[in-house]
Amino acid sequence: MNEIDSARPDWLLRQARTRIAAEDAALLLGHALQRSASWLYAHADEPVAQEKAERFLQLVQRRAAGEPVAYLIGRRGFWTLDLAVTPDTLIPRPETERLVELALERLPVEGQPRVLDLGTGSGAVALALASERPRARVLATDRSAGALAVARANAGAYGLANVAFAEGDWYAAAGPGQFDLIVSNPPYIAAGDAHLARGDLRFEPEAALASGQDGLDALRIIAAGASGRLRPGGWLLVEHGYDQGPAARGLLAAVGLDAVETAQDLENRDRVTLGRMPQAEEGA
């Protein structure tokens, strides 16, 4: 009998920690056994079936090779939601919750504001807003059919009937009409940036990460189309890189938005730039 035939959670975790982070090891073992983290430690000496132990060690090998934990377990927490993710979608990140916070500050609880999420991916931002503002009507778009399938499944898992989905490129997917709020976490890394070949980014869809030679192509499209798609007093909020605040403010101001500002994330880095469609002047 070899060691894997009589494996127990504590032994498996010790093996994994020689290759990957302890937190990752616990997540992967919980996934392989379909058990919670608390169960793992409460049953540290309970035998594990051989096929499950082998499955876990395969996951450890893949993680050691760089595959993101979120793709290996197919889940990532965001806001108050536990979302399915696949290699068709970006992995939701904590800093994007700043985009949600700022959007909610501008979305009334009453009424039925129309919200547009451009490039929704897994649906993280759209579903967070829909869950917090159940009277809002949210439209989430993406040019990736695979990403939209994931987003739809996530909406279904939470019974969020106030979200609709449309496939297409940016505003082309949104159809006619104007919105009270437009949000987007678009690609904003410069094509050829060395970071694209490092860490989790190696495994995420490049089309959802990189956007032109300076990383601003998508932001230009979103800003240019905003004035025709926002109602008077409506807001555009876009996430971007830590060094793109000045450029993003310039793009929003250039199309006539006012109250333009950049908000920082929890690490005090520029993260979200926002602007408002001016109200129509009385008598105009």
Side-chain angles (χ1 to χ4, degrees), residues 28-239:
L28 293 178
L29 184 56
H31 175 68
L33 301 184
Q34 292 298 291
R35 299 289 189 177
S36 67
S38 59
W39 186 95
L40 296 179
Y41 292 102
H43 298 80
D45 58 353
E46 184 168 312
V48 174
Q50 181 178 352
E51 64 272 15
K52 292 184 178 180
E54 290 175 347
R55 169 64 175 154
F56 167 66
L57 294 176
Q58 290 168 0
L59 290 172
V60 170
Q61 183 175 355
R62 291 169 62 186
R63 178 57 185 150
E67 285 191 57
V69 171
Y71 288 160
L72 293 174
I73 67 175
R75 315 293 304 177
R76 173 55 66 93
F78 180 82
W79 199 248
T80 61
L81 310 173
D82 182 42
L83 300 174
V85 295
T86 76
D88 286 315
T89 71
L90 285 183
I91 299 167
R93 290 170 167 79
E95 53 264 32
T96 302
E97 293 186 357
R98 184 67 173 130
L99 178 63
V100 173
E101 291 172 351
L102 292 164
L104 288 173
E105 290 173 6
R106 289 156 179 82
L107 273 180
V109 175
E110 301 302 324
Q112 294 183 313
R114 291 194 74 203
V115 178
L116 175 62
D117 177 22
L118 296 169
T120 196
S122 65
V125 173
L127 301 186
L129 296 177
S131 68
E132 297 287 349
R133 297 289 186 270
R135 298 185 57 144
R137 294 169 294 164
V138 181
L139 176 61
T141 75
D142 206 291
R143 65 182 178 182
S144 166
L148 282 177
V150 175
R152 284 192 183 97
N154 281 326
Y158 284 96
L160 295 171
N162 59 328
V163 188
F165 300 90
E167 182 179 346
D169 214 20
W170 305 122
Y171 293 104
Q178 293 182 312
F179 296 86
D180 298 285
L181 186 137
I182 299 172
V183 292
S184 185
N185 176 19
Y188 52 75
I189 300 176
D193 188 295
H195 291 89
L196 294 170
R198 300 174 189 166
D200 287 358
L201 298 187
R202 293 173 293 162
F203 296 86
E204 296 183 84
E206 186 169 347
L209 291 168
S211 185
Q213 293 305 306
D214 60 359
L216 294 171
D217 282 3
L219 284 168
R220 291 188 181 96
I221 293 170
I222 293 167
S227 61
R229 305 312 296 269
L230 282 172
R231 290 173 176 163
W235 288 89
L236 171 66
L237 298 90
V238 290
E239 182 174 335

